[in-house]
Amino acid sequence: MGRAPCCEKMGLKKGPWTPEEDKVLVAHIQRFGHGNWRALPKQAGLLRCGKSCRLRWINYLRPDIKRGNFSKEEEDAIIRLHQQLGNRWSAIAARLPGRTDNEIKNVWHTHLKKRLDPTNEIKEEAREAPTGGGKKQRRPAAPKRGGARRAPPPDAATEASAATAPVSPERSASSSVTESSSVTEQGNTGSSLGFPKEESFTSSAPDAEEFQFDESFWSETLSMPLESFDVPMEPCDAFGAAAATSSSAGADDMDYWLRVFMESGDVQQELPQI
DNA sequence: AAGAGCCCCAACCGCTGTACG
DNA sequence: TCGTACAGCGGTTGGGGCTCT
């Protein structure tokens, strides 16, 4: 069947996300969730297609994402899981909390595949050696592409338990926060809006400094009054309807969001239809 | 110091699966 | 049952940073 393009290309921005766009997207999702990705950019006032917003959120902006280099244990887990699952990156990501399918895919193609290739083994080993000749030390993930924020590389023992952590096999790590995803699975319950509290987010990292930048980013973003955004939020009935009819939004979810909105104090003005 | 080449990764593209009317 | 819309997944790539020469 003829599929319409994911979005109207006309007038929609492509390429790297700016910090401003990130903030708008984060603020919108914090406030309204993402019941409908296609409608989200319009509601948030972003000149992006829903697909782009979704990818940006899932691969970069979700607060439960673990940034930085992969530990040896994680790499071993990826190799093992790849042997079992093949190129089902989302399934692999589901077993590596905090890692996205895109990230795992990148690591596989850039490191692990070569490592498993016997012809590259020697070369790869040389690269692994700290003082080995020719190995390019991984740069400390400097911001790229329009203000991308990356945490400094963690030490190799960051997530020894990651590979064995129990994670729902049904949903990947890319499942949304509104679907009681890995955030909950990692025990960060009780935080408002389904986000991990900053304390839990940072304290879950063995090295608190690892997320220093992200913490400041989230602190800034979470504390930022929404009115400070240039782009007006447009909570509309369509979104509420989408959330209400969403297959993943049960009555409890609706009650939860309603409570959140009520507590925010502006539900009357913002969402009169709920 | 400067240029070349390599490496990495964020983001795009196109396809599939699923829900719904 | 069919057609459409949407979310999600995996493959691919553009381009910036880093290292080497």
Side-chain angles (χ1 to χ4, degrees):
Chain A
M1 65 191 81
R3 287 191 57 77
C6 75
C7 56
E8 301 86 348
K9 305 294 181 185
M10 309 247 307
L12 292 184
K13 191 176 171 188
K14 288 173 61 176
W17 281 66
T18 66
E20 288 74 24
E21 287 177 311
D22 283 346
K23 286 180 180 178
V24 170
L25 179 59
V26 167
H28 185 86
I29 292 176
Q30 279 179 26
R31 197 166 191 183
F32 306 112
H34 51 72
N36 186 338
W37 283 113
R38 194 174 172 86
L40 187 148
K42 187 176 180 182
Q43 294 163 5
L46 288 166
L47 290 175
R48 296 276 182 173
C49 73
K51 205 174 195 176
S52 181
C53 293
R54 178 184 157 272
L55 280 205
R56 183 63 179 171
W57 171 256
I58 286 174
N59 290 329
Y60 207 90
L61 297 176
R62 278 188 316 157
D64 54 323
I65 285 179
K66 179 168 52 180
R67 313 295 316 178
N69 291 354
F70 279 60
S71 67
K72 183 74 167 60
E73 289 76 13
E74 286 176 309
E75 291 183 349
D76 291 344
I78 291 169
I79 293 170
R80 191 174 63 252
L81 289 167
H82 187 268
Q83 288 173 346
Q84 299 171 3
L85 302 170
N87 290 0
R88 296 176 58 200
W89 305 117
S90 62
I92 295 173
R95 289 160 175 77
L96 289 173
R99 298 299 191 181
T100 69
D101 54 354
N102 202 37
E103 198 173 14
I104 290 170
K105 187 167 58 182
N106 282 335
V107 168
W108 174 262
H109 285 126
T110 55
H111 291 113
L112 305 181
K113 189 167 68 174
K114 296 174 190 171
R115 185 185 302 177
L116 292 181
D117 182 352
T119 61
N120 288 327
E121 199 164 346
I122 297 173
K123 182 176 154 187
E124 192 68 16
E125 282 176 2
R127 294 182 68 239
E128 291 292 333
T131 57
K135 170 173 168 59
K136 290 185 179 180
Q137 287 288 348
R138 188 73 197 106
R139 63 175 177 274
K144 285 176 62 176
R145 292 197 181 224
R149 293 166 298 276
R150 289 183 60 81
D155 66 58
T158 297
E159 281 294 331
S161 62
T164 55
V167 177
S168 165
E170 297 304 319
R171 289 306 316 160
S172 74
S174 59
S175 57
S176 70
V177 291
T178 55
E179 292 170 351
S180 65
S181 63
S182 53
V183 173
T184 303
E185 287 156 5
Q186 291 173 53
N188 291 324
T189 57
S191 60
S192 66
L193 292 170
F195 283 73
K197 290 180 179 176
E198 281 180 52
E199 299 86 273
S200 2
F201 178 46
T202 53
S203 63
S204 66
D207 181 359
E209 290 185 2
E210 176 182 346
F211 292 106
Q212 193 168 24
F213 198 99
D214 283 345
E215 180 180 13
S216 62
F217 167 70
W218 283 102
S219 301
E220 178 185 344
T221 302
L222 290 169
S223 62
M224 182 178 299
L226 293 169
E227 290 73 16
S228 68
F229 293 115
D230 293 337
V231 181
M233 297 301 169
E234 297 178 4
C236 63
D237 297 349
F239 176 79
T245 57
S246 167
S247 60
S248 63
D252 289 344
D253 288 340
M254 285 306 299
D255 289 341
Y256 172 77
W257 282 107
L258 180 60
R259 189 166 61 251
V260 169
F261 288 135
M262 293 293 280
E263 288 173 0
S264 73
D266 50 7
V267 61
Q268 273 80 14
Q269 300 94 316
E270 300 288 349
L271 294 170
Q273 296 301 317
I274 290 182

